[in-house]
Amino acid sequence: MKNKAILIGLISSITLTGCMFQDQGSQVNNKTKEISYHLSTTSEILLTSEAGAKVSPQPSLTFQQGKAQGKVITIRPDIIKQNILGIGTSFTESSAFVLAHLSKEKRAEVMENIYGEKGANFSIARTHIGATDFAVDGKYSYAPVKDDVELSSFSIAVDQDGFKQQDHAGIKDEQFDLLPMIKQAYEIKSKQSDKDLRIVASAWTAPPWMKDIEDYYIKPTAKNNHQGTGGELKPQYRATYADYLIKYLDAYKKEGIDIWGLTPVNEPHGNSGQWESMHFTPKTQSAFIKDHLGPKLKVSAHEKVKLLIYDQNRDEMEHWTDEILADKETAQYVYGTAVHWYESTNKVNEEVFDRVHNKFPEFSIIHTEGTIDDLGKDAPEGILDPIRFKESNWFNNDNFWWNENATDWAYTATWAPKPEEHPIYTPVHRYARNIIVSLDHWLEGWIDWNIVLDSNGGPNHVGNFCGAPIMIDTETGEVYYTPIYHVLAQFSRTIRPGDKALQVETQLAGLDSDALHASAAMSKSNLVSTQLLNTTKAAINFSLQIGDQFVEVSIPANSVQTIQVQL
């Protein structure tokens, strides 16, 4: 179905400096741990830390011969796992709106820092099909005319008509918008050797007239017993909605943008009607793909577009994969599963990834959304700690991002199903832990949500303010690159499309289970990149073992470290 890195049932050997490579499913001879790669020094070490390092090069370290003792992280280049698509972020109307407040020169600088080879050089991205909460005014679609089953009114003009100064004080470029933002990223990529930029597109909802509620969403109120909803597709418009999604692909292709991946809808469980949404169950999404979207894509100009199911929280993904990927009639159209992280502020749910991968190893898992949500919001009823619930002082303050200062929607909530999984957290740790642990458990790509927001975490037309890697004061033009930006940039620059994840084995007796996290990948040129997160307030000394050699490492307190070694 696709070129996976897992070499199941390997019979022949692949040699690199005289050693045998095996897939994880093969029986591993312990002697492979003693392979000699003839290493001398590390190639490059990069550090981002609370102490102030920002993707900063560190002195090289020298390898020693032998088997390390004590705290040891062992990298196994002889056990190759999944293919990696890369690290990325998202294009949203809100991000474009904020960037439209900068001069063209300043905006070009920011965009280069996001997509350029000397910047983060993100290789995978997400965007929205129609309105989302991160749209300036929300409540729009590309087919607004009711019962227009031929979709003759279809237009993506709203993605490129810009923002008028008379309506939005401070706008410096009235032509800049979502589609121009994507085109500028494409232009940056076209001028460099590394041109990778795969875009996943997700609709938050079908046009209202296609849904049973005939509205974008119905908010929860006392009158409806706080049971808001996004509604479901009317049966007679299921085929029309599939046509709508393909019309979007057509329109973007006409503008020079080839969408790489597609999800039928964002968050099919809905959001209780708080903003644009639309519901599917595993059964109804399977039927929609099998009977409508899959066959229509297959005979369209977009046969190669990668269809991803689900697109919501990790803890529920297994139910969806069991229903959809186990159905061969549906699965023939599916590339993989998209997931988010909002089920917990500290758990990664890697055991779910393992189970899903073991059942359906030929299908990808891609993280398509994660952010620091509910930023600075007043606590609703039922929050036991309303003071800590509401964050403050995050703009131009690195200390906020490196320490336990963030909460989310379920923090100390009496009404939340598992409030213990939503403790106060450190934003950098949430990002780095999630990425590192996920990559170590079969994830192929990791995408952040809005790349740019204003200093308040918006605009968001329903007040769902969030953090972003880059935050901009739209009044002064001050651009703040948060520590999240530098962490993502460090990962993106050292985890590239086509890399292969490697087996990592840890022996960290005496450390708390959350103290030190590690993952590793190897490039086509056999450059091994090990990603490390130290969540503690003290340096951690350990040994990095590769084959029959090791290097003694000290990862500074509260930091993200990347160690690259050329085999």
Side-chain angles (χ1 to χ4, degrees), residues 130-384:
T132 163
D133 54 319
F134 279 97
V136 177
D137 299 312
K139 292 191 173 183
Y140 66 83
S141 79
Y142 305 130
V145 178
K146 187 175 181 179
D147 298 329
D148 177 16
V149 293
E150 299 299 324
L151 300 177
S152 56
S153 65
F154 188 96
S155 171
I156 60 167
V158 66
D159 288 351
Q160 53 189 331
D161 57 8
F163 308 99
K164 302 302 180 186
Q165 291 176 341
Q166 64 187 35
D167 299 323
H168 305 285
I171 290 289
K172 288 187 169 58
D173 185 348
E174 291 187 315
Q175 278 71 53
F176 198 71
D177 205 334
L178 176 61
L179 186 52
M181 182 184 177
I182 296 173
K183 287 183 176 181
Q184 187 167 5
Y186 259 51
E187 184 180 359
I188 291 168
K189 290 290 185 181
S190 72
K191 296 177 181 177
Q192 57 193 45
S193 58
D194 188 343
K195 303 181 189 305
D196 282 294
L197 184 59
R198 296 173 171 90
I199 300 175
V200 177
S202 304
W204 266 235
T205 178
W209 55 270
M210 295 187 193
K211 301 195 296 179
D212 55 1
I213 64 171
E214 296 198 350
D215 205 343
Y216 288 96
Y217 54 95
I218 295 175
K219 293 185 74 69
T221 63
K223 188 175 181 180
N224 62 24
N225 196 29
H226 301 285
Q227 300 300 309
T229 182
E232 299 178 8
L233 279 172
K234 294 178 181 179
Q236 66 267 35
Y237 290 131
R238 289 169 187 160
T240 308
Y241 180 56
D243 291 336
Y244 176 83
L245 295 176
I246 291 171
K247 280 269 193 182
Y248 166 83
L249 299 175
D250 289 338
Y252 263 63
K253 188 176 185 66
K254 189 175 181 180
E255 293 291 336
I257 307 300
D258 286 313
I259 298 298
W260 177 84
L262 178 71
T263 74
V265 79
N266 172 71
E267 299 187 348
H269 291 157
N271 54 47
S272 300
Q274 296 180 85
W275 54 82
E276 291 85 351
S277 63
M278 186 172 72
H279 297 250
F280 276 107
T281 66
K283 286 187 181 298
T284 60
Q285 187 166 107
S286 182
F288 174 68
I289 293 170
K290 180 181 358 183
D291 299 335
H292 303 291
L293 184 58
K296 286 176 181 288
L297 275 174
K298 193 170 184 179
V299 299
S300 74
H302 314 288
E303 181 185 3
K304 294 183 180 179
V305 168
K306 308 298 189 285
L307 188 58
L308 300 167
I309 63 168
Y310 189 43
D311 213 5
Q312 199 157 357
N313 295 342
R314 296 156 178 247
D315 58 338
E316 296 290 334
M317 72 176 288
E318 191 172 9
H319 176 48
W320 286 72
T321 56
D322 284 352
E323 177 73 41
I324 298 176
L325 300 185
D327 185 333
K328 291 183 179 179
E329 290 185 50
T330 305
Q332 64 178 316
Y333 302 113
V334 176
Y335 178 81
T337 306
V339 296
H340 302 177
W341 75 1
Y342 303 110
E343 76 281 356
S344 176
T345 61
N346 60 351
K347 291 179 64 177
V348 179
N349 281 293
E350 64 271 22
E351 69 282 355
V352 181
F353 283 11
D354 288 343
R355 290 197 301 268
V356 169
H357 172 79
N358 288 336
K359 291 185 208 177
F360 308 105
E362 68 271 31
F363 294 92
S364 297
I365 303 172
I366 299 175
H367 177 101
T368 51
E369 185 183 319
T371 191
I372 308 304
D373 55 340
D374 274 25
L375 190 65
K377 289 174 64 175
D378 290 326
E381 291 184 11
I383 298 296
L384 299 178

Side-chain angles (χ1 to χ4, degrees), residues 84 231 414 541:
I84 292 176
T414 56
N541 298 320

Side-chain angles (χ1 to χ4, degrees), residues 499-564:
D499 288 0
K500 313 294 183 185
L502 301 178
Q503 176 77 1
V504 176
E505 299 166 1
T506 59
Q507 178 184 310
L508 300 172
L511 285 181
D512 179 85
S513 61
D514 189 46
L516 183 61
H517 295 284
S519 69
M522 184 167 64
S523 73
K524 294 175 183 177
S525 62
N526 301 324
L527 178 67
V528 173
S529 296
T530 301
Q531 312 295 341
L532 301 150
L533 166 66
N534 178 0
T535 66
T536 76
K537 291 291 188 178
I540 296 176
N541 298 320
F542 68 96
S543 296
L544 184 70
Q545 183 93 38
I546 303 179
D548 63 354
Q549 294 172 277
F550 68 93
V551 63
E552 294 179 347
V553 180
S554 180
I555 179 171
N558 210 8
S559 69
V560 175
Q561 185 181 56
T562 300
I563 301 176
Q564 294 189 303

